[in-house]
Amino acid sequence: MKSIHVEPLQKPFNITIDNIASDKSISHRCAMFSLLSDQPSHVKNYLTAEDTLNTLSIVEQLGAVVERDGSTVKITPPTELTEPKDILDCGNSGTAIRLFCGFLSSLDGSFILNGDKYLNQRPMNRVAKPLRSIGAFIDGREFGNKAPLFIRGAALDSFVYESPVDSAQVKSAMILAALRAKGISKYKENELTRDHTERMLKGMGATLETNSDGFIEITPLDGPLKPLNITVPTDPSSAFFFAVAAAVVPGSSVTIKM
Protein backbone atom coordinates (compact mmCIF):
# COMPACT_ATOMS: atom_id res chain seq x y z
CA MET A 1 0.00 0.00 0.00
CA LYS A 2 1.28 3.45 -0.91
CA SER A 3 2.05 5.65 2.11
CA ILE A 4 1.62 9.41 2.35
CA HIS A 5 3.76 11.54 4.66
CA VAL A 6 1.91 14.56 6.07
CA GLU A 7 3.74 17.33 7.91
CA PRO A 8 2.00 19.97 10.06
CA LEU A 9 1.73 23.52 8.72
CA GLN A 10 4.24 25.86 10.29
CA LYS A 11 2.33 29.05 9.44
CA PRO A 12 -1.24 30.09 8.59
CA PHE A 13 -2.44 30.29 4.99
CA ASN A 14 -4.74 32.58 3.04
CA ILE A 15 -6.04 31.15 -0.23
CA THR A 16 -8.80 31.68 -2.79
CA ILE A 17 -10.37 28.67 -4.50
CA ASP A 18 -12.42 29.17 -7.66
CA ASN A 19 -12.44 25.69 -9.22
CA ILE A 20 -14.91 23.80 -7.05
CA ALA A 21 -16.25 20.63 -8.68
CA SER A 22 -19.68 20.55 -10.27
CA ASP A 23 -22.56 18.93 -8.41
CA LYS A 24 -22.53 15.17 -8.92
CA SER A 25 -26.20 14.49 -8.08
CA ILE A 26 -27.47 17.13 -10.49
CA SER A 27 -25.11 15.93 -13.24
CA HIS A 28 -26.47 12.38 -12.96
CA ARG A 29 -30.01 13.69 -13.19
CA CYS A 30 -29.24 15.89 -16.20
CA ALA A 31 -28.08 12.89 -18.20
CA MET A 32 -30.99 10.72 -17.15
CA PHE A 33 -33.79 13.28 -17.41
CA SER A 34 -32.71 14.30 -20.91
CA LEU A 35 -34.24 11.00 -22.05
CA LEU A 36 -37.68 12.26 -21.03
CA SER A 37 -37.65 14.84 -23.81
CA ASP A 38 -37.83 14.53 -27.59
CA GLN A 39 -35.42 17.42 -28.18
CA PRO A 40 -31.69 17.87 -27.46
CA SER A 41 -30.71 18.96 -23.96
CA HIS A 42 -27.77 21.29 -23.40
CA VAL A 43 -25.83 20.97 -20.15
CA LYS A 44 -22.95 23.22 -19.13
CA ASN A 45 -20.50 22.50 -16.31
CA TYR A 46 -21.37 18.77 -16.31
CA LEU A 47 -19.16 16.92 -13.84
CA THR A 48 -16.53 15.01 -15.82
CA ALA A 49 -15.86 12.39 -13.14
CA GLU A 50 -15.90 8.62 -13.56
CA ASP A 51 -19.36 8.00 -12.10
CA THR A 52 -21.12 10.76 -14.03
CA LEU A 53 -19.37 9.76 -17.25
CA ASN A 54 -20.65 6.22 -16.63
CA THR A 55 -24.17 7.67 -16.51
CA LEU A 56 -23.60 9.39 -19.86
CA SER A 57 -22.44 6.04 -21.25
CA ILE A 58 -25.66 4.38 -20.01
CA VAL A 59 -27.71 7.11 -21.69
CA GLU A 60 -25.84 6.35 -24.93
CA GLN A 61 -26.52 2.62 -24.54
CA LEU A 62 -30.22 3.46 -24.30
CA GLY A 63 -30.04 5.16 -27.69
CA ALA A 64 -29.12 8.81 -27.04
CA VAL A 65 -26.42 10.66 -28.92
CA VAL A 66 -23.98 12.37 -26.54
CA GLU A 67 -21.66 15.13 -27.75
CA ARG A 68 -19.07 16.45 -25.31
CA ASP A 69 -16.89 19.55 -25.46
CA GLY A 70 -15.08 19.54 -22.15
CA SER A 71 -17.73 19.99 -19.47
CA THR A 72 -20.38 21.07 -21.98
CA VAL A 73 -22.66 18.25 -23.08
CA LYS A 74 -25.37 17.99 -25.71
CA ILE A 75 -27.66 14.98 -25.32
CA THR A 76 -30.02 14.13 -28.18
CA PRO A 77 -32.61 11.56 -27.06
CA PRO A 78 -33.65 8.75 -29.41
CA THR A 79 -37.10 8.57 -30.95
CA GLU A 80 -37.57 5.44 -28.86
CA LEU A 81 -35.37 4.14 -26.06
CA THR A 82 -33.65 0.92 -27.04
CA GLU A 83 -32.89 -2.23 -25.10
CA PRO A 84 -29.12 -2.21 -24.45
CA LYS A 85 -26.93 -4.99 -25.81
CA ASP A 86 -24.65 -5.00 -22.77
CA ILE A 87 -24.61 -4.52 -19.00
CA LEU A 88 -25.19 -0.97 -17.76
CA ASP A 89 -22.22 -0.06 -15.56
CA CYS A 90 -23.00 2.40 -12.75
CA GLY A 91 -19.47 2.33 -11.34
CA ASN A 92 -19.56 3.43 -7.70
CA SER A 93 -22.71 5.52 -7.94
CA GLY A 94 -25.63 4.69 -5.67
CA THR A 95 -27.53 7.61 -7.19
CA ALA A 96 -27.24 6.19 -10.70
CA ILE A 97 -28.18 2.60 -9.91
CA ARG A 98 -31.14 3.47 -7.68
CA LEU A 99 -32.57 6.15 -9.96
CA PHE A 100 -32.17 3.93 -13.00
CA CYS A 101 -34.17 1.24 -11.16
CA GLY A 102 -37.15 3.60 -11.15
CA PHE A 103 -36.51 4.92 -14.65
CA LEU A 104 -36.10 1.54 -16.35
CA SER A 105 -38.84 -0.38 -14.51
CA SER A 106 -41.58 0.80 -16.86
CA LEU A 107 -39.67 0.58 -20.16
CA ASP A 108 -40.02 -2.20 -22.70
CA GLY A 109 -37.04 -4.52 -22.53
CA SER A 110 -34.59 -6.12 -20.13
CA PHE A 111 -31.75 -4.34 -18.36
CA ILE A 112 -28.85 -5.35 -16.12
CA LEU A 113 -27.46 -2.74 -13.73
CA ASN A 114 -24.03 -3.45 -12.31
CA GLY A 115 -21.42 -1.57 -10.29
CA ASP A 116 -17.96 -1.92 -8.85
CA LYS A 117 -17.21 -4.24 -5.93
CA TYR A 118 -18.22 -1.57 -3.43
CA LEU A 119 -21.52 -0.58 -5.04
CA ASN A 120 -22.45 -4.25 -5.42
CA GLN A 121 -22.36 -4.60 -1.62
CA ARG A 122 -24.77 -1.73 -0.98
CA PRO A 123 -28.46 -2.46 -0.19
CA MET A 124 -30.97 -1.96 -3.00
CA ASN A 125 -34.20 -3.19 -1.38
CA ARG A 126 -35.02 0.31 -0.12
CA VAL A 127 -35.72 1.08 -3.78
CA ALA A 128 -36.48 -2.36 -5.19
CA LYS A 129 -39.19 -3.32 -2.67
CA PRO A 130 -41.51 -0.33 -3.22
CA LEU A 131 -40.98 -0.64 -6.97
CA ARG A 132 -41.86 -4.35 -6.87
CA SER A 133 -45.01 -3.48 -4.91
CA ILE A 134 -46.33 -1.51 -7.90
CA GLY A 135 -45.52 -4.18 -10.48
CA ALA A 136 -41.81 -3.74 -11.26
CA PHE A 137 -39.77 -6.85 -11.96
CA ILE A 138 -36.38 -6.43 -10.24
CA ASP A 139 -34.15 -9.34 -9.24
CA GLY A 140 -30.59 -9.69 -8.05
CA ARG A 141 -28.31 -11.24 -5.47
CA GLU A 142 -29.63 -11.82 -1.95
CA PHE A 143 -33.24 -11.88 -3.17
CA GLY A 144 -32.85 -8.68 -5.14
CA ASN A 145 -31.06 -6.66 -2.46
CA LYS A 146 -27.62 -6.60 -4.11
CA ALA A 147 -26.40 -5.80 -7.61
CA PRO A 148 -26.04 -6.92 -10.30
CA LEU A 149 -29.75 -6.19 -10.68
CA PHE A 150 -31.91 -7.55 -13.48
CA ILE A 151 -34.90 -5.44 -14.52
CA ARG A 152 -37.63 -6.45 -16.92
CA GLY A 153 -39.87 -3.53 -17.86
CA ALA A 154 -43.52 -3.79 -16.86
CA ALA A 155 -46.72 -1.74 -16.67
CA LEU A 156 -46.65 -0.05 -13.26
CA ASP A 157 -49.58 0.71 -10.97
CA SER A 158 -50.09 4.11 -9.39
CA PHE A 159 -49.34 4.23 -5.68
CA VAL A 160 -49.69 5.97 -2.35
CA TYR A 161 -46.40 5.43 -0.53
CA GLU A 162 -45.07 6.76 2.76
CA SER A 163 -41.38 5.95 2.75
CA PRO A 164 -39.84 4.53 5.93
CA VAL A 165 -36.47 5.75 4.64
CA ASP A 166 -35.86 9.45 4.15
CA SER A 167 -33.80 9.27 0.98
CA ALA A 168 -33.64 11.48 -2.10
CA GLN A 169 -32.61 8.41 -4.09
CA VAL A 170 -35.71 6.43 -3.07
CA LYS A 171 -37.94 9.45 -3.67
CA SER A 172 -36.43 10.08 -7.09
CA ALA A 173 -36.74 6.44 -8.15
CA MET A 174 -40.41 6.37 -7.19
CA ILE A 175 -41.12 9.69 -8.92
CA LEU A 176 -39.50 8.43 -12.12
CA ALA A 177 -41.58 5.26 -11.93
CA ALA A 178 -44.73 7.32 -11.30
CA LEU A 179 -44.20 9.32 -14.49
CA ARG A 180 -45.23 6.22 -16.47
CA ALA A 181 -47.68 4.68 -13.99
CA LYS A 182 -51.38 4.08 -14.69
CA GLY A 183 -52.66 7.03 -12.67
CA ILE A 184 -51.72 9.79 -10.24
CA SER A 185 -49.28 8.60 -7.56
CA LYS A 186 -48.52 10.02 -4.14
CA TYR A 187 -45.21 9.91 -2.26
CA LYS A 188 -44.42 11.14 1.25
CA GLU A 189 -41.27 11.27 3.38
CA ASN A 190 -41.02 12.05 7.10
CA GLU A 191 -38.07 14.44 6.81
CA LEU A 192 -37.55 16.47 3.67
CA THR A 193 -34.61 15.38 1.52
CA ARG A 194 -32.90 17.18 -1.36
CA ASP A 195 -35.39 18.17 -4.01
CA HIS A 196 -33.23 18.28 -7.14
CA THR A 197 -35.52 15.79 -8.89
CA GLU A 198 -38.75 17.66 -8.22
CA ARG A 199 -37.32 21.03 -9.22
CA MET A 200 -35.72 19.76 -12.41
CA LEU A 201 -38.73 17.75 -13.58
CA LYS A 202 -41.13 20.61 -12.85
CA GLY A 203 -38.85 22.91 -14.82
CA MET A 204 -39.12 20.48 -17.73
CA GLY A 205 -42.92 20.57 -17.56
CA ALA A 206 -43.81 17.55 -15.40
CA THR A 207 -46.75 17.93 -13.01
CA LEU A 208 -45.63 17.42 -9.41
CA GLU A 209 -47.52 19.10 -6.58
CA THR A 210 -47.28 18.81 -2.80
CA ASN A 211 -50.73 18.57 -1.18
CA SER A 212 -51.83 19.69 2.27
CA ASP A 213 -51.02 16.27 3.75
CA GLY A 214 -47.39 16.50 2.68
CA PHE A 215 -47.70 14.02 -0.20
CA ILE A 216 -46.04 14.76 -3.53
CA GLU A 217 -48.65 14.07 -6.20
CA ILE A 218 -47.12 12.90 -9.49
CA THR A 219 -49.20 12.97 -12.67
CA PRO A 220 -48.13 10.53 -15.41
CA LEU A 221 -46.62 12.07 -18.51
CA ASP A 222 -48.92 12.63 -21.47
CA GLY A 223 -46.02 13.43 -23.81
CA PRO A 224 -42.34 14.35 -23.93
CA LEU A 225 -41.00 16.96 -21.52
CA LYS A 226 -39.16 20.12 -22.48
CA PRO A 227 -35.39 19.66 -22.94
CA LEU A 228 -32.88 20.82 -20.36
CA ASN A 229 -30.90 23.99 -20.87
CA ILE A 230 -28.95 24.15 -17.64
CA THR A 231 -25.64 25.04 -16.05
CA VAL A 232 -24.81 22.56 -13.29
CA PRO A 233 -23.93 24.48 -10.11
CA THR A 234 -20.80 23.77 -8.14
CA ASP A 235 -21.01 21.51 -5.10
CA PRO A 236 -20.44 23.28 -1.75
CA SER A 237 -19.50 19.98 -0.10
CA SER A 238 -16.46 19.76 -2.38
CA ALA A 239 -15.10 22.84 -0.58
CA PHE A 240 -15.62 21.33 2.87
CA PHE A 241 -12.04 20.06 3.17
CA PHE A 242 -10.58 23.52 2.54
CA ALA A 243 -12.99 25.12 4.99
CA VAL A 244 -12.03 22.63 7.70
CA ALA A 245 -8.33 23.20 7.02
CA ALA A 246 -8.78 26.94 7.53
CA ALA A 247 -10.80 26.34 10.69
CA VAL A 248 -8.17 24.12 12.37
CA VAL A 249 -5.08 26.16 11.44
CA PRO A 250 -5.03 29.33 13.58
CA GLY A 251 -4.88 32.56 11.60
CA SER A 252 -5.80 30.93 8.29
CA SER A 253 -8.55 31.92 5.88
CA VAL A 254 -10.03 30.59 2.67
CA THR A 255 -12.26 32.33 0.13
CA ILE A 256 -14.42 29.90 -1.82
CA LYS A 257 -15.92 31.16 -5.07
CA MET A 258 -18.94 29.13 -6.12
Side-chain angles (χ1 to χ4, degrees):
M1 179 181 294
K2 184 178 180 180
S3 61
I4 300 175
H5 181 68
V6 181
E7 295 184 356
L9 285 173
Q10 300 301 320
K11 58 182 180 180
F13 62 87
N14 185 341
I15 60 174
T16 297
I17 299 172
D18 58 4
N19 58 344
I20 302 299
S22 308
D23 190 283
K24 181 186 293 186
S25 296
I26 295 176
S27 294
H28 282 302
R29 286 166 171 80
C30 284
M32 198 177 305
F33 296 175
S34 70
L35 297 176
L36 296 171
S37 180
D38 60 352
Q39 302 174 55
S41 287
H42 298 268
V43 184
K44 295 181 180 179
N45 205 36
Y46 188 90
L47 180 64
T48 54
E50 183 176 0
D51 283 346
T52 47
L53 293 178
N54 281 337
T55 299
L56 279 182
S57 178
I58 291 174
V59 166
E60 285 185 302
Q61 287 177 266
L62 294 173
V65 175
V66 176
E67 301 170 68
R68 287 180 53 208
D69 181 7
S71 62
T72 298
V73 183
K74 176 183 177 183
I75 306 171
T76 304
T79 303
E80 185 175 351
L81 297 177
T82 57
E83 185 178 60
K85 298 177 181 178
D86 205 345
I87 291 171
L88 304 176
D89 182 10
C90 298
N92 187 244
S93 177
T95 297
I97 195 168
R98 292 188 176 116
L99 267 63
F100 270 121
C101 281
F103 185 89
L104 298 173
S105 289
S106 62
L107 296 182
D108 291 334
S110 297
F111 313 88
I112 298 176
L113 293 170
N114 195 25
D116 64 17
K117 63 180 181 180
Y118 303 105
L119 183 61
N120 286 359
Q121 291 302 314
R122 295 173 65 181
M124 295 296 144
N125 268 340
R126 64 182 60 183
V127 167
K129 280 187 174 181
L131 287 171
R132 291 188 197 108
S133 73
I134 61 172
F137 184 94
I138 302 175
D139 202 0
R141 296 185 303 119
E142 296 186 12
F143 302 99
N145 188 40
K146 299 283 181 68
L149 297 176
F150 173 74
I151 300 173
R152 181 180 297 129
L156 302 182
D157 299 321
S158 59
F159 59 84
V160 177
Y161 184 67
E162 294 190 49
S163 179
V165 179
D166 298 319
S167 164
Q169 294 177 359
V170 175
K171 175 173 64 176
S172 298
M174 295 301 289
I175 289 174
L176 289 169
L179 291 178
R180 296 193 184 93
K182 297 175 183 178
I184 293 176
S185 297
K186 298 180 181 181
Y187 181 94
K188 186 177 182 179
E189 54 191 353
N190 294 313
E191 298 291 337
L192 297 180
T193 61
R194 68 179 70 180
D195 60 355
H196 300 333
T197 293
E198 299 97 299
R199 288 175 179 268
M200 292 175 69
L201 290 176
K202 288 174 72 173
M204 296 175 72
T207 302
L208 288 82
E209 302 292 343
T210 302
N211 66 23
S212 58
D213 294 324
F215 281 92
I216 302 171
E217 296 186 359
I218 309 107
T219 301
L221 299 180
D222 58 5
L225 296 178
K226 294 181 293 186
L228 288 164
N229 188 353
I230 186 173
T231 298
V232 179
T234 52
D235 182 3
S237 67
S238 297
F240 177 76
F241 308 100
F242 306 107
V244 170
V248 300
V249 179
S252 296
S253 67
V254 58
T255 300
I256 300 168
K257 295 184 177 181
M258 305 302 291

